[in-house]
Amino acid sequence: MLIGELARRTGSTARALRHYEQAGLIDSERAANGYREYGEPAVVRVRNIRALVAAGLTLEDLRPLLGCLDGDVMSRPPSERVLGIARERLAVLERRIAAQSDARDRLIAALAAAGRGPGEGPGNGPENGQRNGPKSGPGRRTDG
C-alpha cells in the first residue's frame, strides 16, 4: 500500500509516517517509480506506535520495543522492559513539570515584586477594551 493509504488507515499523516521510517520504527520498499510501499503489518505497527506515543512514550523509547510493535500491544500486560521504559519516561516528565512549575513560581514572584499580579499589566486593562465588571448586553444596565 502507498503512504497515503497507510496514513488514512492508521489516522496518521504521511509526514509522521516518513518520520517513523526515518526513526527506524517502520520499513518500506521502493517501487520502480520511487514511491514508498508498505506491507499490511505496517498498519498494526503504526497504530501501536501512535497509541504508545499518545500514552507519553517517545519514538526513542519505542526503539528497544520493535519486536513487540507488531501485535496487539495495548491489550497485553506490559513486560518488565516496557514498564521500565515507562517509569523512566514518567520520571523525565515529572522533572520537566517540576522545572516548569518552578519557572512559573519565579515569574509570579517577579510580577508580585513589580506590583502586578498575573494577568495584570499592559494589554490586559480597560485601556485595551478589557473589562473587569459584568459585560453589557440585552437586559443589562450599563449607565450605573
Side-chain angles (χ1 to χ4, degrees):
M1 85 188 78
L2 297 178
I3 196 167
E5 182 180 349
L6 181 59
R8 181 184 58 75
R9 290 181 59 190
T10 59
S12 189
T13 64
R15 182 176 180 192
L17 295 173
R18 287 189 291 271
H19 187 65
Y20 298 161
E21 189 170 348
Q22 185 177 17
L25 297 176
I26 61 174
D27 294 316
S28 68
E29 299 292 325
R30 292 291 181 150
N33 60 8
Y35 289 0
R36 288 177 168 90
E37 291 186 340
Y38 298 90
E40 191 64 30
V43 174
V44 172
R45 182 172 278 210
V46 170
R47 286 180 180 157
N48 284 330
I49 290 168
R50 289 176 49 83
L52 292 168
V53 167
L57 298 180
T58 66
L59 298 184
E60 185 177 324
D61 292 334
L62 299 182
R63 272 196 209 106
L65 308 176
L66 283 179
C68 305
L69 296 177
D70 295 326
D72 188 4
V73 298
M74 300 309 281
S75 68
R76 296 187 242 163
S79 68
E80 283 303 315
R81 186 176 194 185
V82 171
L83 290 173
I85 290 170
R87 285 185 190 107
E88 288 173 20
R89 178 58 42 206
L90 181 59
V92 168
L93 292 173
E94 294 286 352
R95 287 191 299 273
R96 287 181 184 166
I97 290 168
Q100 290 296 306
S101 294
D102 289 345
R104 181 201 59 221
D105 293 345
R106 287 190 302 273
L107 187 54
I108 289 171
L111 287 168
R116 299 180 185 268
E120 297 177 12
N124 292 325
E127 68 277 6
N128 290 314
Q130 305 243 346
R131 305 166 63 100
N132 292 329
K135 295 181 179 179
S136 61
R140 294 187 188 250
R141 290 187 52 198
T142 58
D143 58 354

